[in-house]
Amino acid sequence: MTTGFSSLDFKLGLRMLVRYPGLTGVGGLAIAFAIWVGAGTFEVIHQLVFPKLPLEQGERIVGVKTLDRAAARSEIPTLHDFARWAAEARTVEEMGAFRHVERNLITGDGNGEPVEVAEVGAAAFRVARAAPLHGRPLVAEDEAPGAAPVVVLSHDLWRRRFGGDPGVVGREVRLGRSVHTVVGVMPEGYGFPVDQALWVPLHLDPLAAAAPGESPRVRVFGRLAPGATLEEARAEFAALGERMAADAPETHGQLRPRVLPYPRSILEVSTLSAVGVGSINLFLVMLLVLVCGNVALLTFARAATRERELVLRGALGATRGRIVGQLFAEALVLAALGAAVGLAAVEAGLEHAFTALRAASDFFPFWLRPRLSAVTVAYTVVLTVLAALVAGGLPGLKATRGLRAGLQRASAGGGGFRFGGVWTAVIVAQVAVTVAFPVFAYVLYDEIADLRNADAGFPDERYLSVRVEMDPFGADGAPLDPKGEAFRARYAAAVGRLAERFAAEPGVERVAFGESLPRLRHPDRWIEVEIPGAASKVERVTRAAVAPDFFAAFDAPVLAGRG
């Protein structure tokens, strides 16, 4: 069975779209929906599983983490580790470190807001190789002890808080209690190391990190040296890890450095997880086949109305392959139209999807962008051809089976196309799915409604909440240990003042503080319960640290003992 395509086939396909507007509308929208779901999900999965840094030679930027072999988990390295690696490594250059913190930004208008800040070494800007839009980046002199506090702004923050004013360079802003001078603005889309709004110098002296197990934790990055490969860097750091384990077996005996492509050091996706996430595409392809099965039934029904035309073409010498090719070309035109609509919907929907993901995450990498990639477009082309095969090729094979017998039936004035066993099974499957889908949708809707109407145990409509954090700095701007007595005393005093100010607001009846609110997610931990006369029992429970008046604020009586 031979076939071939010409421009006439596709022109005829366009004419058929106009001639059968019902099939065009229903079939095109169905395929567009399947393409929208399939291509959109593929784009998100592709960016997560195969991330790519939008920086110059971004594939040569690496991150270094440590693997705790005893616990079989990755850890963020310490400043001591970074200092040792930076001093001895040769396959990775321009090594730098950063910490992710949150600070209150207060501008000249007096308004403040919490913003994501990267305390980062100047090496970050050399590794990223991105020139500022205005001013300059951080430089090594900014990290020196006693250097004047400076800050670099992200493009989004610059537009939102400063109106895109290029004269912002040289202005002063407050981060917590410290006054910083703006020295630069980065270009749109830049967010290295992750997606911070501000960059300030990292004032941690690696040379002072003498105690291996006590120095602060920092994330480490660098760029592969010219000519060095990722495998060579891994081998060098493996040897370095063995030497560090020999030098400090009590803290580094089970720790080994791991060199990863930089995106993987931030969002680490295991091979098993990548396969699991990637397998979602199989279900989406099945959805496309199912949708196109519906379109195929419509196509077959349309072919039945063209029986005389197809039989006549066969009688005039057209091969079965030529006729099937024509029907496939018609379906390909329809599928291409649906794919175009589907891709347009993906382009519009990605912005909303990534905005929702960004809002749900405190650590959303800048390289995840709401843009269609060339890989997704190529994937869509494959889906389009598959859709045309199912919606046009299969009905064509069925409709052209026994053209000679069809000619005899047409001459006798009877017969016509009939559904066989396969098509009967397809119809039954379509009906089953059609019946099951409303039931599934109703159950899902009912569960969502139950969640929305769930009883919180207190009149939640009367409560407002706000998240409060405090910078770990003293009145003189010197850093404080968040676990130390000085910080705890300052924190307690600040909480007391806030409680008094909140309580003084009109309409406020009660004020309470806690790590987490009722009905929200709480961290868990293992506890051991002593049972008199029996063996102790280990349980996993959720927990929250709360103020003494927390239960009274929610009218929650203590059933036994006290709060």
Side-chain angles (χ1 to χ4, degrees):
M1 183 173 67
T2 59
T3 184
F5 296 106
S6 68
S7 60
L8 292 178
D9 293 320
F10 297 103
K11 289 180 180 179
L12 179 59
L14 287 172
R15 287 200 296 268
M16 288 298 175
L17 294 183
V18 177
R19 184 177 178 182
Y20 297 93
L23 174 61
T24 301
V26 174
L29 289 177
I31 294 175
F33 170 77
I35 294 291
W36 170 60
V37 175
T41 305
F42 178 85
E43 179 63 43
V44 175
I45 292 175
H46 180 74
Q47 291 198 36
L48 289 174
V49 178
F50 302 102
K52 183 179 180 181
L53 283 181
L55 299 172
E56 180 183 343
Q57 293 185 325
E59 71 281 358
R60 296 190 62 79
I61 300 178
V62 297
V64 187
K65 302 180 74 172
T66 54
L67 173 65
D68 187 332
R69 298 191 299 183
R73 67 168 182 264
S74 292
E75 293 185 350
I76 300 175
T78 64
L79 188 64
H80 172 273
D81 299 331
F82 163 66
R84 181 80 178 266
W85 296 339
E88 299 186 25
R90 295 295 176 265
T91 55
V92 179
E93 62 182 11
E94 297 289 3
M95 290 189 67
F98 79 96
R99 295 194 301 184
H100 174 84
V101 296
E102 190 174 59
R103 294 285 183 268
N104 269 333
L105 170 67
I106 304 174
T107 55
D109 56 9
N111 292 325
E113 66 170 303
V115 294
E116 305 297 329
V117 180
E119 293 183 347
V120 66
F125 297 91
R126 298 193 297 270
V127 166
R129 297 179 180 177
L133 183 66
H134 299 290
R136 64 169 178 85
L138 299 180
V139 294
E141 290 74 15
D142 296 325
E143 302 176 63
V150 295
V151 62
V152 175
L153 307 179
S154 70
H155 189 274
D156 289 344
L157 184 68
W158 171 63
R159 295 291 299 272
R160 180 168 54 85
R161 291 299 300 269
F162 300 95
D165 181 10
V168 70
V169 175
R171 291 187 192 176
E172 292 184 342
V173 298
R174 283 179 54 194
L175 288 177
R177 291 176 176 268
S178 302
V179 178
H180 290 64
T181 301
V182 177
V183 295
V185 177
M186 297 307 294
E188 186 175 6
Y190 179 87
F192 189 81
V194 184
D195 191 28
Q196 284 76 18
L198 296 170
W199 295 266
V200 298
L202 179 65
H203 290 297
L204 294 177
D205 185 4
L207 298 179
E214 299 178 2
S215 59
R217 295 193 178 274
V218 292
R219 292 184 179 269
V220 179
F221 57 85
R223 181 178 283 273
L224 292 174
T229 65
L230 183 62
E231 289 70 24
E232 291 172 343
R234 286 172 171 168
E236 181 188 34
F237 273 78
L240 182 53
E242 294 291 343
R243 295 198 298 271
M244 294 174 66
D247 294 342
E250 66 284 356
T251 58
H252 286 66
Q254 296 297 327
L255 299 181
R256 294 297 183 272
R258 301 173 61 219
V259 183
L260 302 166
Y262 182 75
R264 283 279 173 265
S265 69
I266 302 298
L267 287 179
E268 192 167 354
V269 180
S270 66
T271 302
L272 183 61
S273 298
V275 172
V277 172
S279 64
I280 296 175
N281 288 308
L282 296 178
F283 293 97
L284 298 178
V285 171
M286 292 175 61
L287 172 65
L288 175 70
V289 172
L290 181 65
V291 168
C292 291
N294 285 310
V295 180
L297 292 176
L298 296 176
T299 304
F300 184 79
R302 186 186 69 177
T305 66
R306 301 169 60 189
E307 180 182 15
R308 291 183 179 275
E309 171 199 335
L310 299 180
V311 170
L312 181 59
R313 292 181 62 184
L316 294 176
T319 64
R320 184 188 182 195
R322 186 70 184 85
I323 296 175
V324 172
Q326 172 61 55
L327 294 177
F328 169 75
E330 295 176 12
L332 187 59
V333 173
L334 177 64
L337 177 63
V341 175
L343 280 181
V346 171
E347 186 76 31
L350 281 177
E351 184 69 40
H352 297 286
F354 276 68
T355 298
L357 289 173
R358 187 182 298 275
S361 173
D362 294 331
F363 219 54
F364 194 84
F366 73 96
W367 55 85
L368 299 181
R369 298 187 174 188
R371 300 175 184 173
L372 279 174
S373 64
V375 176
T376 299
V377 174
Y379 178 73
T380 303
V381 172
V382 175
L383 292 182
T384 303
V385 175
L386 176 62
L389 286 172
V390 176
L394 294 182
L397 291 174
K398 172 64 178 176
T400 56
R401 181 179 299 170
L403 284 177
R404 186 177 299 275
L407 178 60
Q408 295 173 354
R409 290 195 305 270
S411 301
F417 296 148
R418 291 179 174 84
F419 290 108
V422 175
W423 288 100
T424 300
V426 171
I427 293 173
V428 172
Q430 302 299 326
V431 172
V433 171
T434 303
V435 172
F437 181 77
V439 176
F440 172 76
Y442 174 77
V443 172
L444 183 61
Y445 174 80
D446 191 54
E447 290 183 356
I448 294 175
D450 288 343
L451 288 175
R452 290 179 175 176
N453 300 324
D455 182 12
F458 59 92
D460 52 345
E461 71 279 357
R462 297 181 57 196
Y463 286 79
L464 297 176
S465 66
V466 62
R467 184 171 64 91
V468 180
E469 293 190 13
M470 189 171 69
D471 295 336
F473 295 100
D476 58 354
L480 298 175
D481 180 6
K483 297 181 180 180
E485 290 298 327
F487 179 80
R488 292 167 62 88
R490 180 169 173 263
Y491 188 86
V495 167
R497 291 194 299 270
L498 277 176
E500 293 176 357
R501 293 179 63 179
F502 286 148
E505 290 292 323
V508 175
E509 296 181 3
R510 295 175 181 175
V511 179
F513 290 85
E515 274 188 322
S516 184
L517 297 178
R519 312 294 294 188
L520 298 182
R521 181 185 179 276
H522 291 60
D524 54 44
R525 68 186 304 174
W526 292 96
I527 64 170
E528 184 176 2
V529 182
E530 294 181 355
I531 303 176
S536 61
K537 187 178 181 180
V538 177
E539 295 279 355
R540 190 171 188 169
V541 299
T542 57
R543 64 169 181 82
V546 299
D549 54 357
F550 186 83
F551 299 109
F554 289 97
D555 292 324
V558 179
L559 300 182
R562 64 174 178 81

